[in-house]
Amino acid sequence: MTAHEHDQIIDLIKREVILSIGCTEPMAVSLCVAKACETLGTTPDTVAVELSANIFKNAMGVGIPNSGMTGLPIAIALGVVAGRSEYGLAVLQDVDAEAVERAKSFLEQSKPSIDIADESKGLLYIRVVVTHNDNTAEVVISGTHTNFSSIRLNGEDISVGESVSSDTNPQNENLELSLRKVYDFAEEVPLEKIEFIGKTAEKNVAAAELSFTGNYGHGLGKMLHSGSAKAIFGDTLFTNILAHTSGACDARMSGAMVPVMSNSGSGNQGISATVPVAIFALANDVSREKMLRALVLSHLTVIYIKESLGRLSALCGCVVAATGSACGITRLMGGGFEEVSGAVKNMVANLTGMICDGAKPSCSLKVTSGVATAVLSATLAMNHCVTTSNEGIIDDDVDRSIRNLTEIGRQGMSETDRLILDIMTSKQKA
């Protein structure tokens, strides 16, 4: 692999593994609102938001940082009164008690309208229109959670000169990944070029540690970390991995003001790709180099799979992210490319079909299921127990197995996605 390819992949990882505070979808809405208000130049009189169904689904029941509240209205209002677009997905990091009170007052005076966008707009689409007197600003985020695809003031496109991100990066246009290329990169890239990935372990494990000190979400991580749970499950590395991963998710989904490093637009994916690998590495006292290379393998595997699956789908992203951590753990166990490929096949054979029914506190249950399967898949692969092409959707070619997974998630489960949304919205109307 050439130095140029190394640089392409590093650029890709740095764009996809970024800091996030709060659940990604409502934070993307807050980001779009904040940008619209900045464009307008004042506090708006009205706010109208149009969202793709998948964004709406993932923003309905999740806690908003430092607010003690859930859902889109408070995410929108906080974007108005305290959001700063320059922070990206950490848009609400300045929120405090005073900002929450101002946001509540804004909601009392001007209730934002929220509508579902037509499917033709894509799976990831946010359009915000804000008005004040005779002035109107319109901002659209599409494709990725931070991509301002359109910025308009009073009908005039003012994107020129703005920092409008692009869905594609010219440097990466000719970059084609495979699991082999992902593995080789993680093995051979100069260590100094991937030192930055260590931040994922620091931030995401810290989020887990925070969850043990308070009451967040369903408290799954804290329960698994407690003495009563250890009496059942044992005080083992396996339990410790589950406790830390689910704990970080508990804190994030309940709205704790805790930063995590996300992957491919999802904090839970970032947590699932990072924490199991980091905890396994720490418990086994491996070198920092081995841990960093395993983390890169995990994160890049997730990015690779998400490229063909898409950022939002009916398939739970925890499955994809846990597949990444299965690869990282397998490598830390001493496995090579054959064993890593086996771990991927075992993951695809097991968890394909787990639905995404929105971001919410119980995501920690799915994260835990995914990570438990990751450890199992890695252990099986190291013992040369791998699902074969005679079984289900598994192919001899590991990349074809991955494509089978992503085709099911992207195409086969599209009607499932509509039904999930219908069920969720009908509950609100009842």
Side-chain angles (χ1 to χ4, degrees), residues 199-357:
K199 186 177 180 181
T200 65
E202 295 165 13
K203 294 290 185 183
N204 295 355
V205 172
E209 297 289 348
L210 172 69
S211 74
F212 302 148
T213 66
N215 296 309
Y216 299 99
H218 294 300
L220 177 59
K222 187 175 183 179
M223 181 272 293
L224 288 170
H225 195 253
S226 71
S228 59
K230 289 178 179 178
I232 299 172
F233 301 108
D235 188 2
T236 66
L237 173 57
F238 181 62
T239 307
N240 203 25
I241 288 172
L242 299 186
H244 278 77
T245 312
S246 57
C249 181
D250 285 329
R252 181 173 175 272
M253 290 288 95
S254 64
M257 186 62 85
V258 56
V260 302
M261 298 301 292
S262 62
N263 184 304
S264 302
S266 167
N268 283 349
Q269 287 171 188
I271 289 168
S272 297
T274 303
V275 176
V277 177
I279 296 300
F280 188 95
L282 293 170
N284 286 279
D285 198 27
V286 305
S287 68
R288 180 171 175 80
E289 176 175 353
K290 287 184 178 179
M291 183 179 76
L292 293 179
R293 293 190 184 280
L295 286 169
V296 163
L297 175 60
S298 179
H299 278 287
L300 189 55
T301 298
V302 177
I303 293 168
Y304 165 47
I305 298 174
K306 290 292 287 187
E307 279 187 339
S308 59
L309 176 62
R311 289 182 179 266
L312 298 172
S313 74
L315 179 67
C316 177
C318 300
V319 174
V320 175
T323 301
S325 63
C327 295
I329 290 171
T330 301
R331 189 68 192 94
L332 290 174
M333 288 178 171
F337 180 72
E338 180 182 351
E339 289 77 19
V340 166
S341 297
V344 170
K345 291 179 182 180
N346 289 340
M347 289 295 294
V348 173
N350 193 342
L351 288 183
T352 298
M354 181 185 284
I355 65 167
C356 171
D357 54 342

Side-chain angles (χ1 to χ4, degrees), residues 48-67:
V49 179
E50 184 184 16
L51 309 167
S52 57
N54 287 74
I55 293 286
F56 183 78
K57 178 180 74 173
N58 282 336
M60 286 173 59
V62 69
I64 306 304
N66 246 19
S67 70

Side-chain angles (χ1 to χ4, degrees), residues 15-144:
R15 286 190 294 112
E16 295 292 1
V17 180
I18 62 175
L19 191 71
S20 175
I21 296 176
C23 180
T24 309
E25 277 69 47
M27 292 308 95
V29 174
S30 295
L31 176 62
C32 198
V33 170
K35 188 66 173 179
C37 292
E38 291 163 4
T39 303
L40 186 65
T42 187
T43 300
D45 300 317
T46 66
V47 180
V49 179
E50 184 184 16
L51 309 167
S52 57
N54 287 74
I55 293 286
F56 183 78
K57 178 180 74 173
N58 282 336
M60 286 173 59
V62 69
I64 306 304
N66 246 19
S67 70
M69 302 172 68
T70 62
L72 279 167
I74 190 63
I76 292 168
L78 286 171
V80 170
V81 305
R84 294 183 64 178
S85 66
E86 65 193 85
Y87 294 158
L89 291 178
V91 58
L92 299 185
Q93 73 178 44
D94 290 341
V95 167
D96 55 17
E98 188 269 337
V100 173
E101 290 307 311
R102 285 194 290 128
K104 290 178 180 177
S105 296
F106 179 83
L107 290 176
E108 291 174 358
Q109 298 167 14
S110 179
K111 185 178 180 180
S113 66
I114 303 171
D115 294 304
I116 304 296
D118 184 86
E119 287 186 6
S120 64
K121 301 290 180 62
L123 295 176
L124 201 164
Y125 178 85
I126 305 166
R127 175 175 173 265
V128 173
V129 178
V130 294
T131 65
H132 178 73
N133 295 335
D134 295 329
N135 295 311
T136 300
E138 176 192 273
V139 175
V140 175
I141 284 178
S142 63
T144 68

